Amino acid sequence: MTFAETAQAETGPRLEVPARHEGAKAMLLTVFGEFVLPAGGAAWTSSLVAAAGSLDIGEKNARQAIARIGDQGIIEPVRHGRRVRWNLSEPGRALLEHGTRRIYSFRTTTVGWDGEWLLAYVPVAESERAERNQLRNRLGFLGFGELSPSLLVSPHLDREPELRRVLDQLGLAGESIVLHSTAGASDDDAGVVERAWDLDRLAEAYDDFSSIHASRRPGDAEETFRALVELVHAWRRFPFADPELPTELLPEGWVGTTAAQAFHECHENWSAAAQQWFAELEARQTTPLAART
């Protein structure tokens, strides 16, 4: 698994509410991606702690979360006397750039399909639970669903090279069979979708997202900062939980499309004020240092 896949698997794909300390880390990763990355890739500890405070994350939890992100190699500390400024590492920058591209390109285009499925038969013994879970997580990241514990499916034929890379990295390529297949009828395609993915649960998550964020009207700049972080933090899980099925395989009036529209509209409306708030926060932390030098 690449650095980006490893970190993303720990911070974004699941729809469940994470543990509190993991939630703090994930929220701060959103701050790094949304505010620190486009502003040059560095931020003061005090700025990050203050931003976390606006998100109802206490100082202790914030500092622990920053340390965990540093332990992952995403950020690196640079000391200025008694103060610390955190710089994105090269792999950390690559991770956040990858995530940003995927977040903002997700559900912006129509996914085409020629009726052909990509299938992978991967026999892993039931006793090899850790290996099985790793395979499930890795291929779930690529949008594969399970027809059975050993049979995985995707409508995205262009992901075959990534599939084969994962199988090779896990040492499963020699035992696996990869093939393309078509169903006998459209009803059979619907059956594949029903067995491989829980679209009802995904639709419920999309409905919850829209109901929370689409009607939100933040007041001042700090409230807008919080609203934007929570918006992006909530949305960034969907590109890794949603298999992005072609339109032909989705229910009519798919709620994911409505949620995507809500995300992009809210982001456009809130971004300028939120970015300005964080920039001013950073400037206040930088000014005392400049005065001393």
Side-chain angles (χ1 to χ4, degrees):
M1 184 180 271
T2 66
F3 179 96
E5 289 169 337
T6 300
Q8 186 58 59
E10 294 178 357
T11 60
R14 299 166 181 81
L15 293 172
E16 292 85 354
V17 176
R20 185 171 181 82
H21 69 278
E22 290 300 323
K25 186 178 75 172
M27 292 286 273
L28 281 172
L29 277 171
T30 299
V31 172
F32 273 104
E34 189 71 18
F35 299 93
V36 178
L37 176 65
W44 295 105
T45 301
S46 51
S47 297
L48 296 170
V49 170
S54 296
L55 302 169
D56 289 338
I57 300 170
E59 180 175 350
K60 180 180 179 181
N61 283 338
R63 291 184 181 275
Q64 289 176 342
I66 294 168
R68 289 188 179 96
I69 296 170
D71 290 342
Q72 278 191 279
I74 297 173
I75 54 177
E76 300 169 333
V78 177
R79 288 203 165 273
H80 297 264
R82 299 175 65 181
R83 305 175 69 197
V84 176
R85 190 163 175 80
W86 293 90
N87 294 342
L88 290 172
S89 64
E90 284 305 312
R93 185 181 293 273
L95 164 70
L96 295 178
E97 288 175 346
H98 168 80
T100 298
R101 286 193 299 271
R102 189 157 185 176
I103 286 169
Y104 295 115
S105 64
F106 178 66
R107 293 214 158 272
T108 58
T109 58
T110 301
V111 178
W113 191 52
D114 64 0
E116 199 166 15
W117 294 97
L118 175 62
L119 294 173
Y121 172 68
V122 189
V124 180
E126 186 65 35
S127 59
E128 302 291 338
R129 185 169 299 178
E131 190 174 44
R132 183 186 294 277
N133 287 339
Q134 189 176 15
L135 174 69
R136 182 183 294 112
N137 289 338
R138 295 284 301 274
L139 295 187
F141 180 88
L142 296 178
F144 279 79
E146 284 191 358
L147 291 174
S148 73
S150 299
L151 186 62
L152 298 106
V153 63
S154 169
H156 303 290
L157 302 186
D158 59 337
R159 297 181 186 176
E160 182 176 345
E162 295 175 90
L163 165 65
R164 292 186 179 277
R165 177 171 62 85
V166 169
L167 296 177
D168 184 61
Q169 290 175 346
L170 295 179
L172 299 171
E175 306 167 1
S176 301
I177 299 173
V178 176
L179 51 85
H180 297 181
S181 179
T182 57
S186 60
D187 288 346
D188 295 332
D189 288 324
V192 170
V193 172
E194 185 176 358
R195 290 185 62 178
W197 294 281
D198 189 350
L199 292 189
D200 288 341
R201 180 169 174 267
L202 184 60
E204 183 179 350
Y206 273 130
D207 277 335
D208 288 345
F209 175 89
S210 296
S211 65
I212 291 170
H213 298 282
S215 61
R216 194 167 181 176
R217 299 292 183 268
D220 60 19
E222 184 174 2
E223 289 180 10
T224 305
F225 166 82
R226 174 173 178 150
L228 185 65
V229 172
E230 292 176 349
L231 174 82
V232 176
H233 176 71
W235 180 253
R236 72 188 183 94
R237 300 178 182 189
F238 286 109
F240 305 100
D242 184 343
E244 205 166 1
L245 297 176
T247 304
E248 298 94 320
L249 298 176
L250 289 170
E252 187 175 353
W254 176 236
V255 293
T257 303
T258 304
Q261 293 170 347
F263 168 76
H264 288 289
E265 288 175 5
C266 290
H267 191 276
E268 182 178 357
N269 291 337
W270 301 341
S271 184
Q275 292 288 347
Q276 182 64 29
W277 183 86
F278 188 80
E280 291 175 356
L281 181 64
E282 263 288 279
R284 289 196 296 271
Q285 309 306 319
T286 304
T287 300
L289 181 69
R292 290 197 297 271
T293 58

